[in-house]
Amino acid sequence: MRLILTDPLSETLHSFLARHTVQERNKELALALVESANRGDPCPLTAPFAPARPLLACDSVLADGDHVALRLTATTGAAVWCLLAEFRFDGEGRLVEHHAAPLPAAAG
């Protein structure tokens, strides 16, 4: 069976693949922000720690539509923090909204 773009299944598959691609792109953009922060570049992820410069490690990343959520470990000297961050990207991949909340890591 050969599908053509006018077939309903083909349209559904195209929609799924396009959405998946956008979510993967947005994950990569969010992870690029982590790398940028670790290079010392100004970044929304480091703002809660100013003037300290944390080292960030990504523990998990989730994407849904144009939103990406990160759970990070942030280390500033001897202090360890859990950083929860949410980003929203527009259709062109530009960051249009972000929130970051550092929480003290549980003693373990």
Side-chain angles (χ1 to χ4, degrees):
M1 178 175 140
R2 185 177 150 170
L3 294 175
I4 57 175
L5 290 179
T6 57
D7 293 339
L9 179 59
S10 179
E11 183 179 330
T12 301
L13 181 60
H14 180 268
S15 174
F16 171 78
L17 292 174
R19 180 172 181 198
H20 180 73
T21 301
V22 168
Q23 288 179 180
E24 290 302 314
R25 179 203 65 192
N26 290 346
K27 281 183 185 180
E28 290 176 13
L29 290 169
L31 292 172
L33 286 170
V34 173
E35 291 175 14
S36 175
N38 284 336
R39 286 192 307 268
D41 299 336
C43 175
L45 291 170
T46 58
F49 300 98
R53 182 166 118 23
L55 178 63
L56 302 175
C58 186
D59 300 318
S60 64
V61 57
L62 299 170
D64 185 22
D66 58 353
H67 285 78
V68 177
L70 298 176
R71 184 172 54 100
L72 303 145
T73 300
T75 306
T76 57
V80 178
W81 299 82
C82 178
L83 179 63
L84 306 175
E86 180 185 6
F87 300 99
R88 187 171 64 86
F89 297 94
D90 67 10
E92 301 298 314
R94 291 181 296 249
L95 181 63
V96 293
E97 183 179 357
H98 71 277
H99 305 280
L103 306 168

